[in-house]
């Protein structure tokens, strides 16, 4: 028995040793393909829109202020909820007059690390992005002129803009609103996920199943579109390159990046989403009709990878994706300055009020 | 010149001295009629629904969770915004399918100190109150059954309810949802306003104009309906007792408390609102169509006080009301647990999605 024990121990040691070598190789390959989320995104905005405490505070007020919308009821946080992974967890957002947006609301968490913004990448950064929903008829339905009139009517906002943009000849502007929003949103990053800890060398940060999932993710094609600091969000790829998914997942009317570039080759091309915090951001895809993460992996396997992933791979990759949930940002709710008699009134379509005892 | 100076100084001293006596009398009278906001509301719920840290944490998650609504897009905070004085600053709230509520959303700040909840007092406490908007068709449009199914589908919520209601045989219930919401909302109180500091003996906490306003407020009738810890919220009074305001302010179809008591004598009777933080909660009255605080005071003067307040009184009372803005609660945004495949899907009327490049 003793000899057998020794043999078992030796074999076990050998396996562990062989496994350790394999583990090291996997980690090294992962370190080449991905990067941990940094503790600050400041270097990403440094030249163009430096992150200052004044801009962060102003941007935070603006982010939570429903007066950015014409109805004064919809804030950035409505569709990019900081308590829900930075999105709204519904197929597509509900906006002005209960209209629905055409695509699933992407998370703002770590969006600063994406190559460009929106599913089709039509905004090159978050300053440009912020100007979209404020003006979109199906979202906030506001205009730059009304927004500037609103902000100028509130003394605390005027002071905050002057403090945040001291060199600006016209500090209270739509452009500076978008800049402050970008800077605040650049604070909404989620470092220290188990995968980040793994990338920093802690091989115990992932479970065995997650390690197996990472292996399949890197060796069977997922990584081609989902790499870098955001595990995606870095480039543009055709959706349905192998098999076209059903119209509920890839609606025919939405041709993606082709609408931006006006190039036939870009039909049904989208920016790959970041998979950071993907476990928090169902439903999936730009159409927002797939609610299960594992089903989303299976859809990708079929449409993009020619079913190279086995059923077991799909389960393991799904487990790996759950390791991408990072430390969620701690947000103290801002105290918003009050409107004045000069503030434009909310623009709410005049629904008749029900009479009765409610309210 | 010296003698004149001495005389001036003596007169000045005399005035100050006489003023000090008057000031003391005013303060003493105020201390009889009002009470400062306490640092905690625990004693108000002690017997019925004790405030525990577990209930507070659970109630806070529920308060910010849009999954309380059928569409999963409307949270308590949507209409009772903790960054905007605890209300939404629009005439009446926008709810499910962009319907509008019949009355202006009251602030939840300090609501625990009111004698009853809603403009007509039909809910005797905030537990009963919380059940209203969740079910109201024009607000969250949800049902207790769907809400319980939602909460039961999310492991973190089940644990949180079990922790908050350890003696409950059925912890994850609609009743306990309302209880947790009441306890969390009882933390949303605003002590330390200038008026509270004054009530505690700091006579310099109010400006001279605010003192004059307080004097008029107490001596010309306002205090009859607006007294106690909440400077209102303690009883029921007819609106328009002297002069009936226009239908934009007092709509004929809404007879107020008569709809609760079914008594003709209660027609156009409402619970007097608390005036705490009133400078933050425009627009005013249950109809929400008066945007200026001074205009609201003038409306009250005409409709309730037979114009006993002079124009100067109206200005001074308005200044006094601004001293009722307290320290706003500091709220760290809660991290909400994610839905599972067992969670009911959001119920959003199926608006056709616009096609195009937005999103």
């Amino acid at each position: 028995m003793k000899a057998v024990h020794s043999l078992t121990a030796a074999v076990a040691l050998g396996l562990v040793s062989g496994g350790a070598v394999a583990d090291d190789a996997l980690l090294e390959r992962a370190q080449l393909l991905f990067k941990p989320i940094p503790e600050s995104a400041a270097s990403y905005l440094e030249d163009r829109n430096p992150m200052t405490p004044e801009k962060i505070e102003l941007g935070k007020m603006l982010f939570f202020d429903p007066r950015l919308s014409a109805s004064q009821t919809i804030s950035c946080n409505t569709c990019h909820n900081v308590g829900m992974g930075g999105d709204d967890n519904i197929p597509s957002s509900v906006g002005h007059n209960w209209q629905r947006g055409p695509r699933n609301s992407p998370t703002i968490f770590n969006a600063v690390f994406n190559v460009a913004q929106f599913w089709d990448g039509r905004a090159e950064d978050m300053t440009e992005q912020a100007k979209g929903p404020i003006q979109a008829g199906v979202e906030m339905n506001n205009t730059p002129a009304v927004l500037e009139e609103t902000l100028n009517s509130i003394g605390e906002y005027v002071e905050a803009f002057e403090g945040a943009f001291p060199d600006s000849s016209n500090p209270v502007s739509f452009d500076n609103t978008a800049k402050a929003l970008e800077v605040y949103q650049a604070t909404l990053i989620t470092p220290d996920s188990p995968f980040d800890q793994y990338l920093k060398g802690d091989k115990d940060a992932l479970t065995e199943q997650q390690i197996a999932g990472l292996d399949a993710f890197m060796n069977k094609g997922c990584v081609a579109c989902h790499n870098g600091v955001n595990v995606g969000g870095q480039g543009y790829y055709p959706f349905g390159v192998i098999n076209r998914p059903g119209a509920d997942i890839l609606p025919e009317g939405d041709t993606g990046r082709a609408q931006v570039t006006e190039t036939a080759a870009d039909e049904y091309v989208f920016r790959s989403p970041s998979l950071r915090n993907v476990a928090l951001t169902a439903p999936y895809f730009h159409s927002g009709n797939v609610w299960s993460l594992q089903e989303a992996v299976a859809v990708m396997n079929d449409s993009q990878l020619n079913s190279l992933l086995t059923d077991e791979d799909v389960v393991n990759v799904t487990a790996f994706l759950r390791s991408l949930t990072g430390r969620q940002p701690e947000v103290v709710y801002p105290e918003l300055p009050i409107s004045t008699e000069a503030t434009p009134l909310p623009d709410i379509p005049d629904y008749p009020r029900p009479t009765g005892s409610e309210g």
Side-chain angles (χ1 to χ4, degrees), chain A residues 250-328:
Chain A
L250 188 58
E252 284 194 20
D254 185 353
T255 54
R257 192 153 171 81
Q259 292 161 290
V260 180
T261 62
E262 299 183 342
T263 304
D266 281 339
E267 280 191 3
Y268 304 108
V269 164
F270 294 87
R271 196 206 56 198
S272 70
S274 164
L275 298 179
R276 292 284 183 182
N277 302 295
V278 69
L280 307 181
T281 61
Y284 299 109
F285 304 120
H286 63 285
S287 45
N289 284 319
V290 173
W291 289 86
S292 146
L293 183 54
Q294 186 168 313
E295 190 186 333
V297 173
V299 166
M300 283 280 102
N301 187 34
D302 181 56
S303 65
Q304 310 296 99
L305 299 178
N306 208 9
S307 298
L308 205 58
L309 298 180
T310 65
D311 288 352
E312 194 185 353
D313 287 338
V314 168
V315 172
N316 292 342
V317 166
T318 304
F320 162 65
L321 294 181
R322 297 192 193 283
S323 80
L324 298 175
T325 302
R327 192 177 70 232
Q328 304 296 291

Coordinates of all heavy atoms in Angstrom, one line a residue, chain A residues 250-328:
Chain A
L250 N -30.9 39.0 -35.6 CA -30.3 39.9 -36.6 C -31.3 40.5 -37.5 O -31.5 40.0 -38.6 CB -29.2 39.1 -37.3 CG -28.3 39.9 -38.3 CD1 -27.5 41.0 -37.5 CD2 -27.3 38.9 -39.0
P251 N -32.1 41.5 -37.0 CA -33.2 42.0 -37.9 C -32.7 42.5 -39.2 O -31.6 43.2 -39.3 CB -33.7 43.1 -37.0 CG -33.2 43.0 -35.6 CD -31.9 42.3 -35.8
E252 N -33.4 42.2 -40.3 CA -32.9 42.6 -41.6 C -32.8 44.1 -41.8 O -32.0 44.5 -42.6 CB -33.9 42.0 -42.7 CG -33.7 40.5 -42.9 CD -34.4 40.0 -44.1 OE1 -34.7 40.8 -45.0 OE2 -34.6 38.7 -44.1
G253 N -33.7 44.8 -41.2 CA -33.7 46.3 -41.4 C -32.5 47.0 -40.8 O -32.3 48.2 -41.2
D254 N -31.8 46.4 -40.0 CA -30.7 47.1 -39.3 C -29.4 46.5 -39.9 O -28.9 45.5 -39.4 CB -30.8 46.9 -37.8 CG -29.7 47.7 -37.1 OD1 -28.8 48.3 -37.7 OD2 -29.7 47.7 -35.8
T255 N -28.8 47.2 -40.8 CA -27.6 46.7 -41.5 C -26.3 47.2 -40.8 O -25.2 46.9 -41.3 CB -27.6 47.2 -43.0 OG1 -27.7 48.6 -43.0 CG2 -28.7 46.5 -43.8
G256 N -26.4 47.8 -39.7 CA -25.2 48.1 -38.9 C -24.3 49.1 -39.5 O -24.8 50.2 -39.9
R257 N -23.1 48.8 -39.5 CA -22.0 49.8 -39.9 C -22.2 50.3 -41.3 O -21.7 51.4 -41.6 CB -20.7 49.2 -39.6 CG -19.6 50.3 -39.7 CD -18.3 50.0 -38.9 NE -17.3 50.9 -39.1 CZ -17.2 52.1 -38.6 NH1 -18.1 52.5 -37.7 NH2 -16.2 53.0 -38.9
A258 N -22.9 49.5 -42.1 CA -23.1 50.0 -43.5 C -23.8 51.3 -43.5 O -23.6 52.1 -44.5 CB -23.9 48.9 -44.3
Q259 N -24.6 51.5 -42.5 CA -25.4 52.8 -42.5 C -24.5 54.0 -42.1 O -24.8 55.1 -42.3 CB -26.5 52.7 -41.5 CG -27.6 51.7 -41.9 CD -28.5 51.2 -40.8 OE1 -28.0 50.5 -39.9 NE2 -29.7 51.7 -40.8
V260 N -23.3 53.7 -41.5 CA -22.3 54.7 -41.2 C -21.4 54.9 -42.3 O -21.1 56.1 -42.8 CB -21.5 54.3 -39.9 CG1 -20.5 55.4 -39.6 CG2 -22.5 54.0 -38.8
T261 N -20.9 53.8 -42.9 CA -19.8 53.9 -43.9 C -20.4 54.0 -45.3 O -19.7 54.3 -46.3 CB -18.8 52.7 -43.8 OG1 -19.6 51.5 -44.1 CG2 -18.2 52.6 -42.5
E262 N -21.7 53.6 -45.5 CA -22.3 53.6 -46.8 C -21.5 52.7 -47.7 O -21.3 53.0 -48.9 CB -22.6 55.0 -47.3 CG -23.5 55.8 -46.4 CD -23.8 57.2 -47.0 OE1 -23.1 57.6 -47.8 OE2 -24.8 57.8 -46.5
T263 N -21.1 51.6 -47.2 CA -20.3 50.6 -48.0 C -21.0 49.2 -47.9 O -21.3 48.8 -46.8 CB -18.9 50.5 -47.3 OG1 -18.3 51.8 -47.3 CG2 -18.0 49.6 -48.1
A264 N -21.2 48.6 -49.0 CA -21.9 47.3 -49.0 C -21.2 46.3 -48.2 O -21.8 45.5 -47.5 CB -22.1 46.8 -50.4
A265 N -19.9 46.3 -48.2 CA -19.1 45.4 -47.4 C -19.3 45.4 -45.9 O -19.0 44.5 -45.2 CB -17.6 45.5 -47.7
D266 N -19.9 46.5 -45.5 CA -20.1 46.7 -44.0 C -21.6 46.3 -43.6 O -22.0 46.6 -42.5 CB -19.9 48.1 -43.6 CG -18.4 48.4 -43.4 OD1 -17.6 47.4 -43.3 OD2 -17.9 49.6 -43.5
E267 N -22.3 45.7 -44.5 CA -23.6 45.3 -44.2 C -23.6 44.2 -43.1 O -22.9 43.2 -43.2 CB -24.4 44.7 -45.4 CG -24.9 45.9 -46.3 CD -25.9 45.4 -47.3 OE1 -26.2 44.2 -47.4 OE2 -26.3 46.3 -48.1
Y268 N -24.4 44.4 -42.0 CA -24.5 43.6 -40.9 C -23.1 43.5 -40.1 O -22.8 42.5 -39.4 CB -25.0 42.2 -41.2 CG -26.4 42.3 -41.9 CD1 -26.5 42.1 -43.2 CD2 -27.5 42.7 -41.1 CE1 -27.8 42.3 -43.9 CE2 -28.7 42.9 -41.7 CZ -28.9 42.7 -43.1 OH -30.1 42.9 -43.7
V269 N -22.3 44.5 -40.3 CA -21.1 44.6 -39.5 C -21.4 45.4 -38.3 O -22.1 46.5 -38.4 CB -19.9 45.2 -40.4 CG1 -18.8 45.7 -39.5 CG2 -19.5 44.2 -41.4
F270 N -20.9 45.0 -37.1 CA -21.1 45.8 -35.9 C -19.7 45.8 -35.1 O -18.9 45.0 -35.4 CB -22.1 45.1 -35.0 CG -23.5 45.1 -35.6 CD1 -23.9 44.2 -36.5 CD2 -24.4 46.2 -35.3 CE1 -25.2 44.2 -37.0 CE2 -25.6 46.2 -35.9 CZ -26.1 45.2 -36.7
R271 N -19.6 46.8 -34.3 CA -18.5 46.8 -33.4 C -18.7 45.6 -32.4 O -19.8 45.5 -31.8 CB -18.4 48.1 -32.6 CG -17.1 48.4 -32.0 CD -17.2 49.3 -30.8 NE -18.2 48.7 -29.9 CZ -18.9 49.3 -28.9 NH1 -18.7 50.5 -28.7 NH2 -19.7 48.6 -28.2
S272 N -17.7 44.8 -32.2 CA -17.8 43.7 -31.2 C -18.0 44.4 -29.9 O -17.3 45.3 -29.5 CB -16.6 42.8 -31.2 OG -15.5 43.5 -30.7
P273 N -19.0 43.9 -29.1 CA -19.2 44.5 -27.8 C -18.1 44.0 -26.8 O -17.5 42.9 -27.0 CB -20.5 44.0 -27.3 CG -20.8 42.7 -28.1 CD -20.0 42.9 -29.4
S274 N -17.7 44.8 -25.9 CA -16.9 44.4 -24.7 C -17.7 43.3 -24.0 O -18.9 43.4 -23.9 CB -16.7 45.6 -23.8 OG -16.2 45.1 -22.5
L275 N -16.9 42.3 -23.5 CA -17.6 41.3 -22.7 C -17.4 41.5 -21.2 O -17.8 40.7 -20.4 CB -17.1 39.9 -23.1 CG -17.5 39.5 -24.6 CD1 -16.9 38.1 -24.9 CD2 -19.0 39.5 -24.8
R276 N -16.8 42.6 -20.9 CA -16.7 43.0 -19.4 C -18.1 43.1 -18.8 O -19.0 43.7 -19.4 CB -16.0 44.4 -19.3 CG -14.5 44.3 -19.8 CD -13.7 43.7 -18.7 NE -12.2 43.7 -18.9 CZ -11.4 43.1 -18.1 NH1 -11.8 42.5 -17.0 NH2 -10.1 43.1 -18.4
N277 N -18.2 42.5 -17.7 CA -19.5 42.5 -16.9 C -20.7 41.9 -17.7 O -21.8 42.3 -17.4 CB -19.9 43.9 -16.5 CG -18.8 44.5 -15.6 OD1 -18.5 44.1 -14.5 ND2 -18.1 45.6 -16.1
V278 N -20.4 41.0 -18.7 CA -21.4 40.6 -19.6 C -22.5 39.8 -18.8 O -23.7 39.8 -19.2 CB -20.8 39.7 -20.7 CG1 -20.3 38.4 -20.2 CG2 -21.8 39.5 -21.8
A279 N -22.1 39.2 -17.6 CA -23.1 38.5 -16.8 C -24.2 39.4 -16.3 O -25.3 39.0 -15.8 CB -22.4 37.7 -15.7
L280 N -23.9 40.7 -16.2 CA -24.8 41.7 -15.7 C -25.7 42.4 -16.7 O -26.5 43.2 -16.4 CB -24.0 42.8 -14.9 CG -23.0 42.3 -13.8 CD1 -22.4 43.6 -13.2 CD2 -23.7 41.5 -12.8
T281 N -25.4 42.1 -18.0 CA -26.0 43.0 -19.0 C -26.9 42.3 -20.0 O -27.1 42.7 -21.1 CB -24.9 43.7 -19.8 OG1 -24.1 42.8 -20.4 CG2 -24.0 44.6 -18.9
A282 N -27.6 41.2 -19.6 CA -28.7 40.6 -20.4 C -29.7 41.7 -20.6 O -29.9 42.6 -19.8 CB -29.2 39.4 -19.8
P283 N -30.6 41.6 -21.7 CA -30.5 40.7 -22.8 C -29.4 41.1 -23.8 O -28.9 42.2 -23.8 CB -31.8 40.8 -23.4 CG -32.3 42.2 -23.1 CD -31.7 42.5 -21.8
Y284 N -29.0 40.1 -24.7 CA -27.8 40.2 -25.5 C -28.0 40.6 -26.9 O -29.1 40.4 -27.4 CB -27.0 38.9 -25.3 CG -26.6 38.7 -23.9 CD1 -27.2 37.6 -23.1 CD2 -25.7 39.5 -23.2 CE1 -26.9 37.4 -21.8 CE2 -25.4 39.3 -21.9 CZ -26.0 38.3 -21.2 OH -25.7 38.1 -19.9
F285 N -26.9 41.0 -27.5 CA -26.8 41.4 -28.9 C -27.5 42.8 -29.1 O -28.3 43.2 -28.3 CB -27.4 40.4 -29.9 CG -26.7 39.0 -29.7 CD1 -27.4 37.9 -29.4 CD2 -25.4 38.9 -29.9 CE1 -26.8 36.7 -29.2 CE2 -24.7 37.7 -29.7 CZ -25.4 36.6 -29.4
H286 N -27.3 43.4 -30.3 CA -27.8 44.7 -30.5 C -29.4 44.7 -30.6 O -30.0 45.7 -30.3 CB -27.3 45.3 -31.9 CG -27.7 44.5 -33.1 ND1 -27.0 43.3 -33.4 CD2 -28.6 44.7 -34.1 CE1 -27.6 42.8 -34.5 NE2 -28.5 43.7 -34.9
S287 N -29.9 43.5 -30.8 CA -31.4 43.3 -30.9 C -32.0 43.1 -29.5 O -33.2 43.2 -29.3 CB -31.7 42.2 -31.8 OG -30.9 41.1 -31.6
G288 N -31.1 42.6 -28.6 CA -31.6 42.5 -27.2 C -32.7 41.4 -27.0 O -33.6 41.6 -26.1
N289 N -32.7 40.4 -27.7 CA -33.7 39.4 -27.6 C -33.3 38.0 -27.0 O -34.1 37.1 -26.9 CB -34.5 39.2 -28.9 CG -35.4 40.3 -29.2 OD1 -36.1 40.8 -28.3 ND2 -35.4 40.8 -30.4
V290 N -32.0 37.9 -26.7 CA -31.5 36.7 -26.1 C -31.2 36.9 -24.6 O -30.4 37.8 -24.3 CB -30.2 36.2 -26.8 CG1 -29.6 35.0 -26.1 CG2 -30.6 35.8 -28.3
W291 N -31.9 36.2 -23.7 CA -31.8 36.5 -22.3 C -30.8 35.7 -21.5 O -30.4 36.0 -20.4 CB -33.2 36.4 -21.6 CG -34.1 37.5 -22.1 CD1 -34.9 37.5 -23.2 CD2 -34.3 38.7 -21.4 NE1 -35.6 38.6 -23.3 CE2 -35.2 39.4 -22.2 CE3 -33.8 39.3 -20.3 CZ2 -35.7 40.7 -21.9 CZ3 -34.3 40.6 -19.9 CH2 -35.2 41.3 -20.7
S292 N -30.4 34.6 -22.1 CA -29.5 33.7 -21.4 C -28.1 33.8 -22.0 O -27.8 33.8 -23.2 CB -30.0 32.2 -21.6 OG -28.9 31.3 -21.7
L293 N -27.1 33.9 -21.1 CA -25.7 34.1 -21.5 C -25.2 32.9 -22.2 O -24.5 33.0 -23.3 CB -24.8 34.4 -20.3 CG -23.4 34.7 -20.5 CD1 -23.2 35.8 -21.5 CD2 -22.6 35.0 -19.2
Q294 N -25.6 31.7 -21.7 CA -25.2 30.5 -22.4 C -25.8 30.4 -23.8 O -25.1 30.0 -24.8 CB -25.5 29.3 -21.6 CG -25.0 28.0 -22.2 CD -25.1 26.8 -21.2 OE1 -24.8 26.9 -20.0 NE2 -25.6 25.7 -21.7
E295 N -27.0 30.8 -24.0 CA -27.6 30.8 -25.3 C -26.9 31.8 -26.2 O -26.7 31.5 -27.4 CB -29.1 31.2 -25.2 CG -29.9 31.0 -26.5 CD -31.3 31.5 -26.4 OE1 -31.9 31.5 -25.3 OE2 -31.9 31.8 -27.4
A296 N -26.5 32.9 -25.6 CA -25.8 33.9 -26.5 C -24.4 33.3 -27.0 O -24.1 33.5 -28.1 CB -25.5 35.2 -25.6
V297 N -23.8 32.6 -26.1 CA -22.5 31.9 -26.5 C -22.8 30.9 -27.6 O -22.1 30.8 -28.6 CB -21.8 31.2 -25.3 CG1 -20.6 30.4 -25.8 CG2 -21.4 32.3 -24.3
A298 N -23.9 30.2 -27.5 CA -24.3 29.2 -28.5 C -24.6 29.9 -29.8 O -24.2 29.4 -30.9 CB -25.5 28.4 -28.0
V299 N -25.3 31.0 -29.8 CA -25.6 31.8 -31.0 C -24.3 32.2 -31.7 O -24.1 32.0 -32.9 CB -26.5 33.0 -30.7 CG1 -26.5 33.9 -31.9 CG2 -27.9 32.6 -30.3
M300 N -23.4 32.7 -30.9 CA -22.1 33.1 -31.5 C -21.3 31.9 -32.1 O -20.8 32.0 -33.2 CB -21.2 33.7 -30.4 CG -21.5 35.1 -30.0 SD -20.9 36.3 -31.2 CE -22.4 36.7 -32.1
N301 N -21.4 30.8 -31.4 CA -20.7 29.5 -31.9 C -21.3 29.1 -33.2 O -20.5 28.8 -34.2 CB -20.9 28.4 -30.8 CG -20.2 27.2 -31.1 OD1 -19.0 27.3 -31.7 ND2 -20.7 26.0 -30.8
D302 N -22.6 29.2 -33.4 CA -23.2 28.8 -34.6 C -23.0 29.9 -35.7 O -22.6 29.5 -36.9 CB -24.7 28.6 -34.4 CG -25.4 28.2 -35.6 OD1 -25.0 27.2 -36.2 OD2 -26.4 28.9 -36.1
S303 N -23.1 31.1 -35.4 CA -23.1 32.2 -36.4 C -21.7 32.6 -36.8 O -21.5 33.0 -38.0 CB -23.9 33.4 -36.0 OG -23.3 34.0 -34.9
Q304 N -20.8 32.5 -35.9 CA -19.4 33.0 -36.1 C -18.3 32.0 -36.2 O -17.3 32.2 -36.8 CB -19.0 34.0 -35.0 CG -20.1 35.1 -34.7 CD -20.3 36.0 -35.9 OE1 -21.3 35.9 -36.6 NE2 -19.4 37.0 -36.1
L305 N -18.5 30.8 -35.5 CA -17.4 29.9 -35.3 C -17.7 28.5 -36.0 O -16.9 27.6 -35.7 CB -17.2 29.7 -33.8 CG -16.8 30.9 -33.0 CD1 -16.6 30.6 -31.5 CD2 -15.5 31.5 -33.6
N306 N -18.7 28.5 -36.8 CA -18.9 27.2 -37.5 C -19.0 26.0 -36.5 O -18.6 24.9 -36.8 CB -17.8 26.9 -38.5 CG -18.3 26.0 -39.7 OD1 -19.5 25.8 -39.8 ND2 -17.4 25.5 -40.5
S307 N -19.6 26.3 -35.3 CA -19.8 25.3 -34.3 C -18.5 24.6 -33.8 O -18.6 23.4 -33.5 CB -20.9 24.3 -34.7 OG -22.1 25.0 -34.9
L308 N -17.5 25.3 -33.8 CA -16.2 24.7 -33.4 C -16.2 24.4 -31.9 O -15.5 23.5 -31.4 CB -15.1 25.7 -33.7 CG -13.6 25.2 -33.9 CD1 -13.6 24.2 -35.0 CD2 -12.7 26.4 -34.2
L309 N -17.0 25.2 -31.1 CA -17.1 24.9 -29.7 C -18.0 23.7 -29.5 O -19.1 23.6 -30.1 CB -17.7 26.1 -28.9 CG -17.0 27.4 -28.9 CD1 -17.8 28.4 -28.1 CD2 -15.6 27.3 -28.4
T310 N -17.5 22.7 -28.7 CA -18.4 21.6 -28.3 C -19.4 22.1 -27.3 O -19.3 23.2 -26.7 CB -17.5 20.5 -27.6 OG1 -17.0 21.0 -26.4 CG2 -16.4 20.0 -28.5
D311 N -20.4 21.3 -27.0 CA -21.4 21.7 -25.9 C -20.7 22.0 -24.6 O -21.1 22.9 -23.9 CB -22.4 20.5 -25.7 CG -23.3 20.4 -26.9 OD1 -23.3 21.3 -27.8 OD2 -24.1 19.4 -27.0
E312 N -19.7 21.2 -24.3 CA -18.9 21.4 -23.0 C -18.2 22.7 -23.1 O -18.2 23.5 -22.1 CB -18.0 20.2 -22.8 CG -17.4 20.2 -21.4 CD -16.3 19.1 -21.2 OE1 -16.1 18.3 -22.1 OE2 -15.7 19.1 -20.1
D313 N -17.6 23.0 -24.3 CA -16.9 24.3 -24.4 C -17.9 25.5 -24.2 O -17.5 26.5 -23.5 CB -16.4 24.5 -25.9 CG -15.2 23.6 -26.2 OD1 -14.5 23.2 -25.2 OD2 -14.9 23.3 -27.3
V314 N -19.1 25.3 -24.7 CA -20.1 26.4 -24.5 C -20.3 26.7 -23.1 O -20.4 27.8 -22.6 CB -21.4 26.1 -25.3 CG1 -22.5 27.1 -24.9 CG2 -21.2 26.1 -26.8
V315 N -20.5 25.6 -22.3 CA -20.7 25.7 -20.8 C -19.5 26.4 -20.2 O -19.6 27.3 -19.4 CB -21.0 24.3 -20.2 CG1 -21.1 24.4 -18.7 CG2 -22.4 23.8 -20.8
N316 N -18.3 25.9 -20.6 CA -17.1 26.4 -20.0 C -16.8 27.9 -20.3 O -16.4 28.7 -19.5 CB -15.9 25.6 -20.4 CG -16.0 24.2 -19.8 OD1 -16.7 23.9 -18.8 ND2 -15.2 23.2 -20.4
V317 N -17.1 28.2 -21.6 CA -16.9 29.6 -22.0 C -17.8 30.5 -21.2 O -17.5 31.6 -20.8 CB -17.0 29.8 -23.5 CG1 -17.2 31.2 -23.9 CG2 -15.9 29.1 -24.3
T318 N -19.1 30.0 -21.0 CA -20.0 30.8 -20.3 C -19.5 31.0 -18.8 O -19.6 32.2 -18.3 CB -21.4 30.1 -20.3 OG1 -21.8 29.9 -21.6 CG2 -22.5 30.9 -19.5
A319 N -19.0 30.0 -18.3 CA -18.4 30.1 -16.9 C -17.2 31.1 -16.9 O -17.1 32.0 -16.0 CB -17.9 28.8 -16.4
F320 N -16.4 31.1 -18.0 CA -15.3 32.0 -18.1 C -15.8 33.5 -18.1 O -15.3 34.4 -17.5 CB -14.4 31.7 -19.3 CG -13.6 32.9 -19.7 CD1 -12.5 33.3 -18.9 CD2 -13.8 33.5 -20.9 CE1 -11.8 34.4 -19.2 CE2 -13.0 34.6 -21.3 CZ -12.0 35.1 -20.4
L321 N -16.9 33.7 -18.9 CA -17.4 35.0 -19.1 C -17.9 35.6 -17.7 O -17.8 36.8 -17.5 CB -18.6 35.0 -20.1 CG -18.2 34.7 -21.5 CD1 -19.4 34.7 -22.5 CD2 -17.1 35.6 -22.1
R322 N -18.3 34.7 -16.8 CA -18.8 35.2 -15.5 C -17.6 35.7 -14.7 O -17.8 36.4 -13.7 CB -19.5 34.1 -14.8 CG -20.8 33.7 -15.4 CD -21.7 32.8 -14.6 NE -22.8 32.2 -15.4 CZ -23.8 32.8 -15.8 NH1 -24.0 34.1 -15.5 NH2 -24.7 32.2 -16.5
S323 N -16.4 35.4 -15.1 CA -15.2 35.9 -14.4 C -14.9 37.3 -14.8 O -13.9 37.9 -14.3 CB -14.0 34.9 -14.6 OG -13.4 35.2 -15.9
L324 N -15.6 37.8 -15.7 CA -15.3 39.2 -16.2 C -16.1 40.3 -15.5 O -16.1 41.4 -15.9 CB -15.7 39.3 -17.7 CG -14.8 38.4 -18.6 CD1 -15.3 38.4 -20.1 CD2 -13.3 38.7 -18.6
T325 N -16.9 39.8 -14.4 CA -17.6 40.8 -13.6 C -16.6 41.5 -12.6 O -16.1 40.8 -11.8 CB -18.8 40.1 -12.9 OG1 -19.6 39.5 -13.9 CG2 -19.6 41.2 -12.1
G326 N -16.4 42.8 -12.8 CA -15.5 43.5 -11.9 C -16.1 44.2 -10.7 O -17.3 44.0 -10.5
R327 N -15.2 44.9 -10.0 CA -15.7 45.7 -8.9 C -16.6 46.8 -9.4 O -16.1 47.7 -10.1 CB -14.5 46.2 -8.1 CG -14.9 46.8 -6.7 CD -13.6 47.2 -6.0 NE -13.0 48.4 -6.6 CZ -11.8 48.5 -7.0 NH1 -10.9 47.5 -6.8 NH2 -11.3 49.6 -7.5
Q328 N -17.9 46.8 -9.0 CA -18.8 47.9 -9.5 C -18.4 49.2 -8.9 O -18.1 49.3 -7.7 CB -20.2 47.5 -9.3 CG -20.6 46.1 -9.9 CD -20.5 46.1 -11.4 OE1 -21.3 46.7 -12.1 NE2 -19.5 45.3 -11.9

